[in-house]
Amino acid sequence: MFVMSVVLLGATVIFFLDQHTKLEVKQDIHSKISDQLSLRYNLLLSKLNDKKKEIRFLHATPPVKGIMRAVSNNGIDPLDGTVEAQWISRLEIIFKGYIENHPDILQLRYIGFADNGKEIVRVERRDEIVSVIDKRCLVV
């Protein structure tokens, strides 16, 4: 009877130790996953903020506003007399250089309000080659 009580007590202790160990492991895994999630979330937010800054930079380049002014004035920028085609060419050069120096960017497009969101400029990377897409190929 005594031996049986000792065995039963030992089994009970082992059972509770096992349960406690499982709980500790679960808590440890949960903590590690939570830490990783937090790190990745912060990294994602940081990258998103970087992309917002890149977009703001590109939006601030002179051709963006120059094209808008020229489109609104029969193809000629009233500010300095630059024609729309010159502004477009300048923006293509800026976009091409930007993509060449940002390997994570695959495509940049400038889409106007006129003609149901017609693409005015598209520059893209295909197989590590950065190209300005011919205006005849742009989506209308």
Side-chain angles (χ1 to χ4, degrees):
M1 178 88 171
F2 175 73
V3 173
M4 184 78 136
S5 297
V6 171
V7 169
L8 187 57
L9 179 63
T12 304
V13 169
I14 289 172
F15 173 78
F16 283 111
L17 283 174
D18 181 58
Q19 293 301 313
H20 180 72
T21 302
K22 285 179 184 176
L23 181 62
E24 282 183 343
V25 168
K26 284 180 184 178
Q27 288 172 339
D28 185 50
I29 290 171
H30 182 269
S31 176
K32 286 178 181 175
I33 290 173
S34 185
D35 290 348
Q36 280 296 313
L37 183 60
S38 180
L39 286 170
R40 290 172 192 233
Y41 175 77
N42 289 331
L43 180 62
L44 182 61
L45 278 182
S46 175
K47 293 236 182 235
L48 183 60
N49 285 331
D50 289 346
K51 294 302 173 194
K52 285 179 183 178
K53 289 175 187 174
E54 290 176 16
I55 290 168
R56 285 188 200 112
F57 167 79
L58 291 169
H59 181 265
T61 60
V64 171
K65 290 184 179 60
I67 291 170
M68 288 190 282
R69 289 190 303 264
V71 166
S72 299
N73 195 47
N74 297 320
I76 299 174
D77 184 351
L79 190 66
D80 63 3
T82 302
V83 296
E84 181 182 352
Q86 288 174 300
W87 280 127
I88 289 172
S89 177
R90 291 172 184 166
L91 189 59
E92 289 170 343
I93 291 166
I94 290 168
F95 278 10
K96 188 170 191 272
Y98 199 83
I99 290 179
E100 287 172 343
N101 289 286
H102 292 83
D104 59 322
I105 296 177
L106 301 177
Q107 184 182 87
L108 288 173
R109 301 185 304 163
Y110 181 86
I111 300 172
F113 288 111
D115 300 324
N116 295 319
K118 176 184 165 196
E119 284 184 274
I120 297 170
V121 174
R122 184 191 323 157
V123 178
E124 60 188 28
R125 176 190 318 274
R126 287 191 184 164
D127 300 323
E128 299 307 313
I129 297 171
V130 177
S131 306
V132 174
I133 304 303
D134 188 301
K135 286 159 194 48
R136 294 171 291 195
C137 300
L138 296 179
V139 175
V140 178

